[in-house]
Amino acid sequence: MPLQVRQIEISLTAAARSCMERQRHSKKGWVFSSVLLCCLALSQAWGWAQQSAPSNRNADAAYESGMQLVRAQQYSRALAQFKRVEKEAPRLPQGYTGEGITLALMGRPQDAIVRLKKALEIDSSFWVARRELGIIEWQMGSKDEAANELRSIEKLFPNDPPVAAILGEYDFDRGRYPEASNEFSRAADQVATSTPLSLMWAESLLKTGNQKAAAAKLELLCLVPNLTPDQRLKLGWLLGEAGDYPKAVEVFNSLPESSPHPFQRGYGLALAYYNLGRYADCARKLAELQSRKIVGPELFSLLGAAEEGMGNTLRAYDAFRQGIYEFPHDDENYLNIATLSVQHFNYSVATQVLTSGIQEIPNDNRLFLTRGVIYTLQEKLQQAQDDYERALKLAPEKEGVYVALGICLMDEDEYVQAQRVLEKGIARGLRDVLLNYFLADALFRQGITANSPRYAQAFKVVQTALKIDPDFAYAYMQRGRLELVDKKIDAAVADLERARSLEPGSRVILYQLAVTYERAGKKAEADKLFASVSQASQEEEAHFRKGRLVEIMTTVSQPRVVEP
């Protein structure tokens, strides 16, 4: 590394660290002035290193004087010095950059932007000006423009904390959680001084499945004094999402009843109680909200779930019905009654309620999907197919609809049609283990021979299923069956033994393993398994398919999260 560049890097790091120390001790966190002061220090380290022409001594002196005056907060005098730089070196961008930073610190961001753009007109590659312009545009609310400027800076300096923190927030606001988490990690010290950014980082980690790291961030946030009510409310919700329900209860209870967002506070507390199995406390809290006429459809949904948890099925039905009465154009409580009815094998009530819901909300894909599941469970397959196809038109991005329709078509012995439907879901980029599992199943049902195109396709989708869920026993069983077809006996035995270890009670897996043992010449092991499982149970396979459908139905009727 050239000495000059190394010196610039050392100065940059020291300046950034100094800025963050000021933030930490002032306890102001992520604020405009501290960021710009950091920028100013970095500009001093970086600015003149970029010029290609020999420096002008008068301009050098004026620039250094301007920097000292800015640090002394003598902004008017600093501007005069930067004007001197512009006069002495009009074809260099440093004077306009210093002036732009000073104007921003004076509370004149629009004027600052004009001067920084002038610097870039002189030299579009002068990244100091581009960096400051991006930060000011961010503070002015021009976030897309700011992000475009700062992305180019990040390519040059990927470990620039203020830039990474801004881009992390930008990605977070757009739901790009993996990218946001990565950006925040580049600005860890700076993010740690800002409660809003720390909350964003924790949420990004949760959204990307990094529970352990998120829990560590949330634990530190619990120790931060003087959180605002909104920040404490958000912290409670994130603790619940992280599965730390006792701490979530503690945080929600620390908020006064008069705090902002009373529904989110009360519902969040009730949901934490529910997840702890404290159903009576959950119902009590929801009743308090009802008495204050602070309600939403999700309140009745959670109340019904809590009543069912306590064994009060009739009161659960009543809660769901009240939710429908109060909010007839919200689908949640129609779905809840249907799910509860299926759990008690009352299919007629489920279909009646869902039909009523469809009349009120005719374009709701979840109602059609759930009614299709009910029809499948009743073996009314054509009616189920009609509902699934309607749901698919309404929500082609939902993987559960493809799975449900594929199962329905296979139950009708329409294996080629089932194959096409499941392939369509995979072609949309949907990653779901059941999409791949049931596509392999549809291929098996059409007959598979070694080295055939159907064999190759089945093997590929089984491999994909195992990448999505390495512990899915039935995918190992499918791969074992394929290996047996291809006379790869040892590989088949290994996969089927793995499948048995994951699902030791599955008669289908045991039967297939027995067949494979027999082919491998392991007669004693095969006979032992055949003695306990005389034939592969078609009933078990049907139960497996229905179980997956009920899971899909239950998933769409889970208690809703209503975050602040």
Side-chain angles (χ1 to χ4, degrees):
M1 180 180 293
L3 179 60
Q4 183 188 39
V5 175
R6 177 60 181 160
Q7 289 172 338
I8 293 168
E9 184 183 82
I10 292 169
S11 299
L12 181 157
T13 304
R17 187 182 299 114
S18 173
C19 173
M20 287 187 283
E21 279 300 311
R22 284 196 295 275
Q23 285 181 279
R24 186 177 291 109
H25 291 306
S26 68
K27 298 185 179 179
K28 292 181 181 179
W30 179 249
V31 292
F32 183 47
S33 60
S34 64
V35 172
L36 282 173
L37 285 171
C38 181
C39 296
L40 181 65
L42 296 176
S43 296
Q44 187 174 19
W46 294 337
W48 293 104
Q50 287 200 6
Q51 67 181 60
S52 56
S55 63
N56 179 301
R57 288 185 179 181
N58 291 334
D60 282 345
Y63 184 81
E64 177 61 30
S65 176
M67 288 293 185
Q68 291 175 357
L69 289 166
V70 169
R71 287 196 293 274
Q73 299 183 18
Q74 297 182 35
Y75 301 130
S76 296
R77 294 179 61 194
L79 281 179
Q81 293 300 314
F82 291 128
K83 290 286 188 184
R84 280 186 57 201
V85 176
E86 295 164 14
K87 182 178 180 182
E88 294 288 341
R91 299 181 68 178
L92 291 175
Q94 282 84 348
Y96 297 101
T97 300
E99 188 181 355
I101 294 172
T102 306
L103 288 166
L105 290 168
M106 294 174 71
R108 295 167 56 185
Q110 294 288 8
D111 293 334
I113 288 172
V114 171
R115 306 316 285 166
L116 291 167
K117 287 185 175 180
K118 175 65 176 177
L120 290 170
E121 286 177 12
I122 294 170
D123 184 354
S124 62
S125 68
F126 193 68
W127 49 264
V128 176
R130 192 169 301 283
R131 179 183 186 277
E132 316 315 319
L133 176 61
I135 290 174
I136 295 169
E137 285 177 333
W138 178 263
Q139 296 295 336
M140 291 291 292
S142 300
K143 297 192 173 183
D144 291 335
E145 293 85 349
N148 286 335
E149 302 286 0
L150 295 176
R151 293 281 186 213
S152 63
I153 301 304
E154 188 177 49
K155 290 178 182 177
L156 294 170
F157 296 94
N159 296 317
D160 183 342
V163 170
I166 288 173
L167 292 176
E169 184 174 351
Y170 182 82
D171 286 331
F172 177 87
D173 288 343
R174 282 144 190 80
R176 298 197 289 259
Y177 301 114
E179 292 85 352
S181 182
N182 182 54
E183 294 288 0
F184 289 140
S185 70
R186 299 173 190 266
D189 289 342
Q190 187 147 344
V191 172
T193 67
S194 165
T195 296
L197 291 181
S198 295
L199 287 166
M200 290 180 199
W201 193 3
E203 186 169 358
S204 297
L205 290 166
L206 286 171
K207 298 292 188 187
T208 52
N210 198 336
Q211 295 279 117
K212 186 176 180 181
K217 304 290 179 200
L218 294 171
E219 186 175 347
L220 290 174
L221 282 164
C222 289
L223 302 175
V224 175
N226 304 320
L227 293 179
T228 67
D230 282 351
Q231 290 169 348
R232 189 162 289 277
L233 180 65
K234 184 66 177 179
L235 177 58
W237 274 99
L238 291 178
L239 286 164
E241 190 174 342
D244 191 347
Y245 304 119
K247 183 63 74 173
V249 167
E250 182 181 325
V251 170
F252 283 127
N253 276 325
S254 72
L255 287 163
E257 292 287 343
S258 59
S259 64
H261 314 296
F263 181 79
Q264 286 87 344
R265 180 225 177 232
Y267 182 82
L269 178 57
L271 188 58
Y273 282 143
Y274 177 83
N275 284 309
L276 284 169
R278 294 170 58 177
Y279 303 125
D281 288 329
C282 173
R284 173 184 54 78
K285 191 67 214 175
L286 295 172
E288 288 176 12
L289 290 173
Q290 279 185 277
S291 69
R292 297 167 60 192
K293 309 226 181 280
I294 304 173
V295 297
E298 52 282 323
L299 180 147
F300 298 101
S301 171
L302 185 56
L303 178 59
E307 292 290 359
E308 176 66 5
M310 290 186 285
N312 302 326
T313 299
L314 290 179
R315 293 177 67 172
Y317 273 114
D318 288 341
F320 297 146
R321 286 194 186 98
Q322 188 176 357
I324 291 172
Y325 177 78
E326 297 277 355
F327 301 95
H329 296 115
D330 186 280
D331 66 3
E332 186 157 352
N333 287 291
Y334 296 104
L335 296 168
N336 286 322
I337 287 187
T339 302
L340 184 60
S341 298
V342 167
Q343 289 170 351
H344 293 279
F345 303 100
N346 197 338
Y347 298 139
S348 61
V349 168
T351 52
Q352 288 170 17
V353 169
L354 290 167
T355 300
S356 298
I358 288 168
Q359 290 172 352
E360 293 287 343
I361 322 169
N363 292 319
D364 190 293
N365 72 89
R366 301 203 303 172
L367 293 175
F368 280 105
L369 171 60
T370 304
R371 193 173 68 174
V373 171
I374 309 298
Y375 283 141
T376 301
L377 296 175
Q378 293 177 292
E379 299 183 355
K380 297 178 179 179
L381 298 180
Q382 186 55 56
Q383 291 165 279
Q385 183 179 336
D386 292 342
D387 274 354
Y388 293 143
E389 288 174 347
R390 181 66 183 275
L392 192 59
K393 288 180 182 178
L394 293 168
E397 75 286 357
K398 300 295 185 182
E399 60 270 10
V401 184
Y402 294 94
V403 172
L405 180 54
I407 290 173
C408 181
L409 290 167
M410 281 193 281
D411 285 345
E412 295 178 286
D413 298 329
E414 298 288 351
Y415 305 129
V416 174
Q417 283 184 260
Q419 175 187 341
R420 289 172 182 163
V421 166
L422 294 162
E423 287 173 339
K424 187 177 178 181
I426 292 170
R428 288 188 66 90
L430 301 175
R431 281 180 58 81
D432 182 271
V433 67
L434 293 180
L435 269 176
N436 290 275
Y437 170 81
F438 283 112
L439 175 53
D441 193 17
L443 293 167
F444 271 117
R445 289 166 186 267
Q446 295 174 62
I448 286 181
T449 58
N451 301 317
S452 66
R454 197 173 292 152
Y455 178 98
Q457 183 182 4
F459 199 88
K460 180 180 178 180
V461 297
V462 169
Q463 293 287 80
T464 301
L466 289 170
K467 286 180 182 177
I468 297 171
D469 185 355
D471 293 325
F472 189 54
Y474 294 94
Y476 286 104
M477 182 193 72
Q478 286 181 327
R479 191 166 71 179
R481 289 178 63 190
L482 288 166
E483 289 160 342
L484 189 61
V485 168
D486 202 21
K487 299 181 181 178
K488 296 177 179 177
I489 307 300
D490 291 343
V493 168
D495 274 335
L496 288 160
E497 286 178 342
R498 177 70 183 277
R500 179 173 62 168
S501 71
L502 292 167
E503 287 287 345
S506 170
R507 287 182 292 173
V508 173
I509 291 173
L510 291 176
Y511 181 82
Q512 190 63 49
L513 181 57
V515 170
T516 307
Y517 276 155
E518 191 172 54
R519 292 278 297 276
K522 298 182 178 181
K523 189 174 185 308
E525 291 93 330
D527 288 345
K528 185 176 179 181
L529 289 177
F530 279 131
S532 60
V533 186
S534 59
Q535 59 181 6
S537 172
Q538 292 182 350
E539 180 182 336
E540 183 186 337
E541 290 186 13
H543 179 75
F544 177 82
R545 292 197 300 277
K546 289 181 179 179
R548 302 295 78 75
L549 289 173
V550 171
E551 282 180 8
I552 291 169
M553 180 182 70
T554 303
T555 298
V556 300
S557 63
Q558 287 293 313
R560 186 181 301 168
V561 173
V562 186
E563 296 188 35

